[in-house]
PDB file of all heavy atoms in Angstrom:
ATOM      1  N   ASN Q  89     -12.627   5.214  10.212  1.00 97.00           N
ATOM      2  CA  ASN Q  89     -13.649   4.510   9.434  1.00 97.00           C
ATOM      3  C   ASN Q  89     -13.298   4.312   7.984  1.00 97.00           C
ATOM      4  O   ASN Q  89     -12.660   5.167   7.429  1.00 97.00           O
ATOM      5  CB  ASN Q  89     -15.042   5.168   9.699  1.00 97.00           C
ATOM      6  CG  ASN Q  89     -15.489   5.361  11.071  1.00 97.00           C
ATOM      7  OD1 ASN Q  89     -15.229   4.347  11.847  1.00 97.00           O
ATOM      8  ND2 ASN Q  89     -15.804   6.466  11.448  1.00 97.00           N
ATOM      9  N   CYS Q  90     -13.954   3.339   7.408  1.00 97.00           N
ATOM     10  CA  CYS Q  90     -13.592   2.985   5.946  1.00 97.00           C
ATOM     11  C   CYS Q  90     -14.826   2.229   5.347  1.00 97.00           C
ATOM     12  O   CYS Q  90     -15.385   1.345   6.066  1.00 97.00           O
ATOM     13  CB  CYS Q  90     -12.346   2.166   5.941  1.00 97.00           C
ATOM     14  SG  CYS Q  90     -11.913   1.382   4.343  1.00 97.00           S
ATOM     15  N   THR Q  91     -15.211   2.594   4.228  1.00 97.00           N
ATOM     16  CA  THR Q  91     -16.249   1.813   3.525  1.00 97.00           C
ATOM     17  C   THR Q  91     -15.668   1.397   2.139  1.00 97.00           C
ATOM     18  O   THR Q  91     -14.728   1.923   1.625  1.00 97.00           O
ATOM     19  CB  THR Q  91     -17.520   2.700   3.292  1.00 97.00           C
ATOM     20  OG1 THR Q  91     -17.152   3.725   2.453  1.00 97.00           O
ATOM     21  CG2 THR Q  91     -18.214   3.051   4.529  1.00 97.00           C
ATOM     22  N   TYR Q  92     -16.141   0.227   1.635  1.00 96.00           N
ATOM     23  CA  TYR Q  92     -15.600  -0.316   0.364  1.00 96.00           C
ATOM     24  C   TYR Q  92     -16.853  -0.749  -0.530  1.00 96.00           C
ATOM     25  O   TYR Q  92     -17.919  -0.990  -0.033  1.00 96.00           O
ATOM     26  CB  TYR Q  92     -14.761  -1.475   0.713  1.00 96.00           C
ATOM     27  CG  TYR Q  92     -15.401  -2.683   1.377  1.00 96.00           C
ATOM     28  CD1 TYR Q  92     -15.959  -3.695   0.701  1.00 96.00           C
ATOM     29  CD2 TYR Q  92     -15.425  -2.651   2.806  1.00 96.00           C
ATOM     30  CE1 TYR Q  92     -16.542  -4.778   1.462  1.00 96.00           C
ATOM     31  CE2 TYR Q  92     -16.006  -3.610   3.567  1.00 96.00           C
ATOM     32  CZ  TYR Q  92     -16.616  -4.735   2.859  1.00 96.00           C
ATOM     33  OH  TYR Q  92     -17.215  -5.804   3.537  1.00 96.00           O
ATOM     34  N   SER Q  93     -16.599  -0.805  -1.783  1.00 93.00           N
ATOM     35  CA  SER Q  93     -17.659  -0.946  -2.735  1.00 93.00           C
ATOM     36  C   SER Q  93     -17.828  -2.385  -3.214  1.00 93.00           C
ATOM     37  O   SER Q  93     -18.938  -2.783  -3.619  1.00 93.00           O
ATOM     38  CB  SER Q  93     -17.493  -0.024  -3.922  1.00 93.00           C
ATOM     39  OG  SER Q  93     -16.313  -0.274  -4.625  1.00 93.00           O
ATOM     40  N   ASP Q  94     -16.713  -3.169  -3.193  1.00 91.00           N
ATOM     41  CA  ASP Q  94     -16.817  -4.554  -3.750  1.00 91.00           C
ATOM     42  C   ASP Q  94     -17.375  -5.446  -2.716  1.00 91.00           C
ATOM     43  O   ASP Q  94     -16.658  -5.910  -1.752  1.00 91.00           O
ATOM     44  CB  ASP Q  94     -15.430  -4.824  -4.245  1.00 91.00           C
ATOM     45  CG  ASP Q  94     -15.432  -6.258  -4.925  1.00 91.00           C
ATOM     46  OD1 ASP Q  94     -16.379  -7.042  -4.837  1.00 91.00           O
ATOM     47  OD2 ASP Q  94     -14.397  -6.602  -5.525  1.00 91.00           O
ATOM     48  N   ARG Q  95     -18.619  -5.866  -2.963  1.00 90.00           N
ATOM     49  CA  ARG Q  95     -19.218  -6.824  -1.915  1.00 90.00           C
ATOM     50  C   ARG Q  95     -18.400  -8.176  -1.927  1.00 90.00           C
ATOM     51  O   ARG Q  95     -18.651  -8.914  -0.849  1.00 90.00           O
ATOM     52  CB  ARG Q  95     -20.675  -7.037  -2.334  1.00 90.00           C
ATOM     53  CG  ARG Q  95     -21.505  -7.563  -1.248  1.00 90.00           C
ATOM     54  CD  ARG Q  95     -23.011  -7.436  -1.615  1.00 90.00           C
ATOM     55  NE  ARG Q  95     -23.538  -6.110  -1.201  1.00 90.00           N
ATOM     56  CZ  ARG Q  95     -23.905  -5.781   0.042  1.00 90.00           C
ATOM     57  NH1 ARG Q  95     -23.691  -6.588   0.989  1.00 90.00           N
ATOM     58  NH2 ARG Q  95     -24.386  -4.594   0.317  1.00 90.00           N
ATOM     59  N   GLY Q  96     -17.737  -8.505  -2.893  1.00 89.00           N
ATOM     60  CA  GLY Q  96     -16.956  -9.779  -2.754  1.00 89.00           C
ATOM     61  C   GLY Q  96     -15.584  -9.726  -2.065  1.00 89.00           C
ATOM     62  O   GLY Q  96     -14.882 -10.656  -1.982  1.00 89.00           O
ATOM     63  N   SER Q  97     -15.314  -8.577  -1.414  1.00 90.00           N
ATOM     64  CA  SER Q  97     -13.987  -8.326  -0.781  1.00 90.00           C
ATOM     65  C   SER Q  97     -13.948  -9.292   0.381  1.00 90.00           C
ATOM     66  O   SER Q  97     -14.906  -9.618   1.120  1.00 90.00           O
ATOM     67  CB  SER Q  97     -13.905  -6.903  -0.242  1.00 90.00           C
ATOM     68  OG  SER Q  97     -13.962  -6.000  -1.353  1.00 90.00           O
ATOM     69  N   GLN Q  98     -12.708  -9.841   0.587  1.00 88.00           N
ATOM     70  CA  GLN Q  98     -12.523 -10.873   1.596  1.00 88.00           C
ATOM     71  C   GLN Q  98     -11.534 -10.445   2.646  1.00 88.00           C
ATOM     72  O   GLN Q  98     -11.544 -10.992   3.758  1.00 88.00           O
ATOM     73  CB  GLN Q  98     -12.022 -12.216   0.904  1.00 88.00           C
ATOM     74  CG  GLN Q  98     -13.117 -12.761   0.038  1.00 88.00           C
ATOM     75  CD  GLN Q  98     -14.306 -13.252   0.701  1.00 88.00           C
ATOM     76  OE1 GLN Q  98     -14.290 -13.749   1.860  1.00 88.00           O
ATOM     77  NE2 GLN Q  98     -15.525 -12.992   0.181  1.00 88.00           N
ATOM     78  N   SER Q  99     -10.591  -9.621   2.305  1.00 93.00           N
ATOM     79  CA  SER Q  99      -9.507  -9.344   3.204  1.00 93.00           C
ATOM     80  C   SER Q  99      -9.362  -7.798   3.432  1.00 93.00           C
ATOM     81  O   SER Q  99      -9.388  -7.127   2.384  1.00 93.00           O
ATOM     82  CB  SER Q  99      -8.163  -9.929   2.664  1.00 93.00           C
ATOM     83  OG  SER Q  99      -8.273 -11.259   2.427  1.00 93.00           O
ATOM     84  N   PHE Q 100      -9.120  -7.453   4.678  1.00 95.00           N
ATOM     85  CA  PHE Q 100      -9.112  -5.972   4.978  1.00 95.00           C
ATOM     86  C   PHE Q 100      -7.882  -5.634   5.867  1.00 95.00           C
ATOM     87  O   PHE Q 100      -7.539  -6.481   6.771  1.00 95.00           O
ATOM     88  CB  PHE Q 100     -10.410  -5.663   5.730  1.00 95.00           C
ATOM     89  CG  PHE Q 100     -11.571  -6.072   4.975  1.00 95.00           C
ATOM     90  CD1 PHE Q 100     -12.164  -7.395   5.104  1.00 95.00           C
ATOM     91  CD2 PHE Q 100     -12.231  -5.311   3.954  1.00 95.00           C
ATOM     92  CE1 PHE Q 100     -13.126  -7.843   4.329  1.00 95.00           C
ATOM     93  CE2 PHE Q 100     -13.339  -5.743   3.315  1.00 95.00           C
ATOM     94  CZ  PHE Q 100     -13.796  -6.976   3.412  1.00 95.00           C
ATOM     95  N   PHE Q 101      -7.276  -4.589   5.536  1.00 97.00           N
ATOM     96  CA  PHE Q 101      -5.995  -4.231   6.202  1.00 97.00           C
ATOM     97  C   PHE Q 101      -6.026  -2.736   6.681  1.00 97.00           C
ATOM     98  O   PHE Q 101      -6.656  -1.892   6.069  1.00 97.00           O
ATOM     99  CB  PHE Q 101      -4.807  -4.442   5.302  1.00 97.00           C
ATOM    100  CG  PHE Q 101      -4.801  -5.772   4.653  1.00 97.00           C
ATOM    101  CD1 PHE Q 101      -5.525  -6.093   3.509  1.00 97.00           C
ATOM    102  CD2 PHE Q 101      -4.103  -6.891   5.288  1.00 97.00           C
ATOM    103  CE1 PHE Q 101      -5.516  -7.344   2.874  1.00 97.00           C
ATOM    104  CE2 PHE Q 101      -4.023  -8.107   4.617  1.00 97.00           C
ATOM    105  CZ  PHE Q 101      -4.756  -8.364   3.497  1.00 97.00           C
TER     106      PHE Q 101
END
Side-chain angles (χ1 to χ4, degrees):
Chain Q
N89 305 314
C90 171
T91 57
Y92 58 94
S93 60
D94 184 347
R95 196 166 275 282
S97 299
Q98 294 297 322
S99 306
F100 307 87
F101 307 88

